[in-house]
Amino acid sequence: MTELLTVTGPATGDVLAELPAATAADVDTAVGRARKAQREWGATAPGERAAVLLRVAALIEAHAEELALTETRQCGKPIRLSREFDVPGTADNAAFFAGASRAMEGKAAAEYSADHTSAIRRDPVGVVGSIAPWNYPLQMAGWKLFPALATGNAVVIKPAEITPLTTLRLAELCAEAGLPDGVLTVLVGTGPVAGEALVSHPGIDMVSFTGSTAVGKRVAQLAAQAPKRVHLELGGKAPFVVFDDADLEAAMHGAVAGALINGGQDCTAATRAYVQRPLYDAFVDGVADLFGTVRMGDPEDPATDLGSLISRAQAERVHGFVSRAATAGARIVGGRAPEGAFHEPTLVVGAAQDAEIVRDEVFGPVLVVLPFDSDDDGLALANDTRYGLAASAWTRDVYRAGRASRELAAGCVWINDHIPIVSEMPHGGVKASGYGKDMSSYALEEYTSVKHVMSDNTGEARKSWHRTVFAGG
């Protein structure tokens, strides 16, 4: 009997869908279809692939409200975030890669050897196995699909089994836009079954995974058996460094927005605020006051700022971090026991640098605030983490800003802001936050193989270099 996976709205507990769980046999079938379809899709001219992606972008915009409501219901995120960030960002990403696919860069064809002409090709990798997370199901699917499709690859994607609905709808829109059958397949299944079968399948040429660092290690281990190319976007513990010359009001508002986006379920969310002592007390008081104005409630209400977390279990997990921090001596502002999957904004003050809540990814609406004295101390504390996905620095001093941008060990550093992303710029981390880039033209490098083609220009049977191997003949 086929196992059914139930998709439940975390804010309401309503059952949204029941879907058959993909098996290893389903993975094998999907990969076989993808390998056949990729040959023709990979040979399609970039302009034709771009036309399909432009139609995808237009269809996303045409179905924006439907996609936003579905995303909010399956994730519990506020409808404003879905309408104004997730859906338009996904449409823009599709449109960007439509253009980028027609303008890939490479070294000029030339005679780098006197008797030969060299040229560089960027060929599709082949069939990509993608695994997307539950926090931004639509956007993360787009980040993986659009650069892969733009460069002529086929994709078998496994969304998180608890949030597959917008990925399935996106696949339908891709088919409506003219994407050939078999080039994109969505498999709804669990990580241990469908996920591991996908990563391990010999017909998969590349794996792209977004999720926790622990699971990312498992993915890399499985993929290494082939070996095959791996792209990983993993966890984060982003520092938010406020120097004593910063615009305090801007920093406080930036901290609230950066910490609470998507309920804090964001690998780039501001989680560790390091504030230079002259501003520390005012920052703590100001952020606490702002947290108190955040409207938590029905995610479908446009007035709601903070919806539910992804599940009751996640809310309880977050509260466990907060409770243990309090037991260890930290002062907690907010942080009451969760109601269902809802968890109120929480400020943690006075935790030690080596505390669990400072070191580990909480993935909830929790901001830890710690003081620092010198600039050296602030940057050192910010970098004192195994993660390196994102960071921000707040200062009016151009030299401080320049130093922070150089020294903060992260794939993205914001100055006087935290969170904004654009399709033209890359997203990806260092250290335990993974490797490889999403978005931007740099993502095209992830999904293409560089091939050197070298052609003889002389027509001579015996080349001058032959004498280094044999003298006669």
Side-chain angles (χ1 to χ4, degrees):
M1 184 174 178
T2 302
E3 178 188 359
L4 291 179
L5 297 174
T6 301
V7 182
T8 303
T12 62
D14 294 343
V15 174
L16 304 178
E18 288 188 329
L19 301 166
T23 64
D26 294 324
V27 171
D28 189 57
T29 299
V31 173
R33 292 176 65 244
R35 295 207 70 81
K36 292 178 181 177
Q38 190 277 323
R39 287 192 286 271
E40 183 175 349
W41 179 246
T44 302
E48 294 178 47
R49 297 197 296 263
V52 172
L53 288 177
L54 285 174
R55 289 194 292 270
V56 171
L59 286 167
I60 292 171
E61 291 174 346
H63 294 270
E65 184 62 13
E66 171 202 347
L67 290 166
L69 281 170
T70 303
E71 193 79 333
T72 285
R73 287 168 180 166
Q74 70 176 353
C75 297
K77 65 177 63 186
I79 190 64
R80 290 204 316 267
L81 186 66
S82 296
R83 285 175 177 160
E84 300 175 26
F85 182 69
D86 296 68
V87 175
T90 305
D92 184 69
N93 216 236
F96 171 81
F97 281 109
S101 68
R102 305 183 70 173
M104 286 195 288
E105 297 180 352
K107 202 167 187 176
E111 289 67 47
Y112 297 98
S113 157
D115 297 334
H116 306 84
T117 295
S118 287
I120 295 294
R121 292 181 56 91
R122 279 199 173 272
D123 293 333
V125 173
V127 178
V128 181
S130 293
I131 300 177
W134 50 256
N135 56 339
Y136 292 101
L138 180 63
Q139 282 213 76
M140 296 299 99
W143 284 15
K144 294 182 180 304
L145 294 179
F146 300 144
L149 297 175
T151 47
N153 300 282
V155 183
V156 179
I157 185 169
K158 191 197 86 63
E161 63 268 26
I162 57 176
T163 56
L165 302 182
T166 47
T167 305
L168 289 166
R169 187 68 178 111
L170 179 59
E172 292 175 348
L173 297 180
C174 287
E176 185 178 339
L179 189 69
D181 186 51
V183 173
L184 169 60
T185 302
V186 180
L187 293 176
V188 180
T190 65
V193 177
E196 296 215 357
L198 184 62
V199 173
S200 305
H201 198 286
I204 292 294
D205 301 295
M206 172 184 169
V207 175
S208 177
F209 171 80
T210 298
S212 71
T213 297
V215 178
K217 290 179 180 179
R218 175 64 176 164
V219 168
Q221 182 184 53
L222 291 170
Q225 304 306 307
K228 59 189 69 173
R229 184 180 297 196
V230 179
H231 166 234
L232 299 175
E233 198 263 79
L234 307 177
K237 194 69 179 174
F240 185 101
V241 183
V242 182
F243 293 99
D244 57 14
D245 68 328
D247 181 327
L248 180 60
E249 183 179 5
M252 291 188 304
H253 281 83
V256 174
L260 301 186
I261 185 170
N262 204 34
Q265 299 166 128
D266 186 313
C267 296
T268 61
T271 59
R272 298 178 295 135
Y274 294 99
V275 184
Q276 209 152 20
R277 285 195 190 275
L279 296 184
Y280 179 77
D281 289 338
F283 180 90
V284 169
D285 292 343
V287 171
D289 289 343
L290 289 172
F291 270 10
T293 69
V294 171
R295 291 164 293 189
M296 184 171 68
D298 178 5
E300 293 186 45
D301 183 346
T304 293
D305 299 317
L306 184 66
S308 76
L309 300 189
I310 193 63
S311 65
R312 177 189 294 269
Q314 180 65 14
E316 291 173 350
R317 177 182 179 275
V318 170
H319 190 65
F321 274 97
V322 174
S323 298
R324 292 189 294 274
T327 299
R331 177 165 68 91
I332 309 299
V333 181
R336 292 177 300 178
E339 299 177 11
F342 290 84
H343 194 289
E344 68 178 344
T346 306
L347 197 63
V348 179
V349 183
Q353 176 67 13
D354 61 356
E356 172 196 49
I357 203 162
V358 177
R359 311 302 295 181
D360 295 339
E361 194 170 27
V362 176
F363 231 54
V366 177
L367 178 64
V368 182
V369 187
L370 303 98
F372 71 90
D373 293 306
S374 69
D375 290 14
D376 289 348
D377 292 337
L379 293 172
L381 288 168
N383 285 334
D384 181 23
T385 175
R386 64 191 179 116
Y387 296 108
L389 188 57
S392 65
W394 297 75
T395 176
R396 291 186 175 97
D397 186 322
V398 65
Y399 298 105
R400 269 177 162 168
R403 181 185 177 188
S405 66
R406 292 190 301 273
E407 295 186 15
L408 286 170
C412 174
V413 176
W414 292 286
I415 304 297
N416 294 324
D417 210 339
H418 195 106
I419 286 298
I421 54 174
V422 291
S423 295
E424 293 83 356
M425 288 290 111
H427 177 86
V430 296
K431 300 194 290 186
S433 291
Y435 45 81
K437 299 299 181 184
D438 289 310
M439 300 199 300
S440 82
S441 58
Y442 292 97
L444 299 177
E445 298 180 9
E446 304 293 333
Y447 294 96
T448 54
S449 294
V450 174
K451 180 188 291 182
H452 171 213
V453 179
M454 195 173 199
S455 302
D456 171 58
N457 291 334
T458 67
E460 297 176 0
R462 291 206 60 189
K463 310 298 190 291
S464 61
W465 71 269
H466 289 183
R467 66 181 303 275
T468 63
V469 182
F470 70 105

